[in-house]
Structures are given as C-alpha cells and as structure tokens.
Amino acid sequence: MKKIVALILIISVLFSFSAFGAKVDNTEIKSTLLNGTTMVPLEDLAKLLELEFWPSSENYSVSEKNDYPRMLVFNTEEPDKAYAQSYVKEKDGNLRLTDELELSLPENITRIDGKLYVPYRFVLEFYKANVYWTEEDGAYAYRTSYGEPALIRTNGDIRE
C-alpha cells in the first residue's frame, strides 16, 4: 500500500512540473512547455499585452488597438502556421488590409483545457517585445513598441 501511495505522489509531483507560471507585470498566466517551446493561452496573453482578441470556430486573432493595427491570425485547421496582417484605418472608421504574410510557427498551436495555446516567444516578438533568458531570471521580455515597458518573466527552467 505504501508503494502505491509513493508512486501516486511521485507521478503527481512529475506532472505538476510540466507547467510553470509566466508573468506580465507581476500577473501570472498559465503556461507549459511543449517539445521545448513555451506555450501560453492566446486569450490570456492578449489581455496582458492589451491586445484585441477575436475567437471564432476556426480562427483566433489578436490585434493592436490603434489606427495601424498589426494582427496575428491562428487557424486551428493549419496548426503550424500563423498569418501576419497589417491594416490601416480608413476615414470612415473601417479597417483596410494592406499586407498579409504566412508565417511558420516553431510549435503547432494546440488546445489545452478549452483554450488555444500558442508559442510564447513568437507572439511576444511579433508585437515588438525583446525576449531574453538568463540562468537567474528564466525567460523574460520587454515590450518597447508602445506604452510602458512590460516585464514578462517565467519561473521555469526554459531555454528557447
């Protein structure tokens, strides 16, 4: 009986280390490593980076909130790709697509517990964050393109 309990405890501890916390301005979001790539829920990351988030049955999009927004579109039927789109706001208030580029992802998007997980570094760098890793701090990034710089840290042993 003691061996079974010990085995259950060991398995519980091993699985508890599969996820670690990522922080944006001291706000933690759930994240996990998938084949060596840090993955985060797109909706949660969008909130922390102050991006618009638009989910649909197949497409999930995040966009800047300005007159020249850059948008990332993830399609669940093409899990290894993302589409980078640039828009301009017309005089009538509507957005007009000015450019679109297909990008390869370092890891396929995936659903975990009903949320769409995307590569952490990929999204941050698209939105002009500088992503770093140090032995002392783990992974962290600074947004420099708009607003105040936002420190993003993880407390896991991540090497991207």
Side-chain angles (χ1 to χ4, degrees):
M1 183 67 170
K2 288 182 182 179
K3 289 181 181 179
I4 293 173
V5 171
L7 181 62
I8 291 171
L9 285 174
I10 290 170
I11 291 171
S12 297
V13 169
L14 288 175
F15 282 109
S16 70
F17 288 116
S18 66
F20 54 88
K23 291 186 178 181
V24 178
D25 291 336
N26 294 320
T27 302
E28 191 168 324
I29 60 172
K30 189 174 181 178
S31 54
T32 192
L33 287 176
L34 191 62
N35 298 321
T37 301
T38 304
M39 304 291 284
V40 295
L42 182 60
E43 181 177 9
D44 297 350
L45 188 58
K47 284 179 190 174
L48 294 174
L49 295 177
E50 299 175 358
L51 301 171
E52 295 283 344
F53 173 70
W54 292 290
S56 71
S57 60
E58 293 175 9
N59 291 323
Y60 289 76
S61 304
V62 290
S63 175
E64 296 166 315
K65 300 175 184 178
N66 58 42
D67 289 344
Y68 301 93
R70 291 174 308 126
M71 181 180 289
L72 273 177
V73 180
F74 299 91
N75 186 311
T76 57
E77 293 183 356
E78 297 178 285
D80 61 333
K81 297 177 186 160
Y83 294 90
Q85 299 175 337
S86 298
Y87 289 85
V88 64
K89 191 177 235 179
E90 298 286 329
K91 290 180 182 180
D92 62 4
N94 292 321
L95 293 176
R96 178 176 51 87
L97 179 66
T98 58
D99 194 19
E100 181 175 45
L101 181 63
E102 181 181 297
L103 303 171
S104 295
L105 296 174
E107 180 61 42
N108 289 355
I109 59 174
T110 188
R111 284 191 190 282
I112 301 174
D113 296 330
K115 290 195 173 193
L116 187 72
Y117 276 65
V118 298
Y120 172 79
R121 177 184 289 270
F122 179 87
V123 176
L124 291 171
E125 288 182 344
F126 181 81
Y127 286 110
K128 304 295 186 198
N130 296 309
V131 182
Y132 305 96
W133 186 91
T134 65
E135 196 72 38
E136 182 178 309
D137 296 323
Y140 60 96
Y142 292 96
R143 280 187 311 173
T144 56
S145 63
Y146 58 94
E148 292 297 315
L151 178 62
I152 302 164
R153 294 180 182 266
T154 64
N155 61 2
D157 185 24
I158 306 147
R159 298 180 188 272
E160 295 184 313

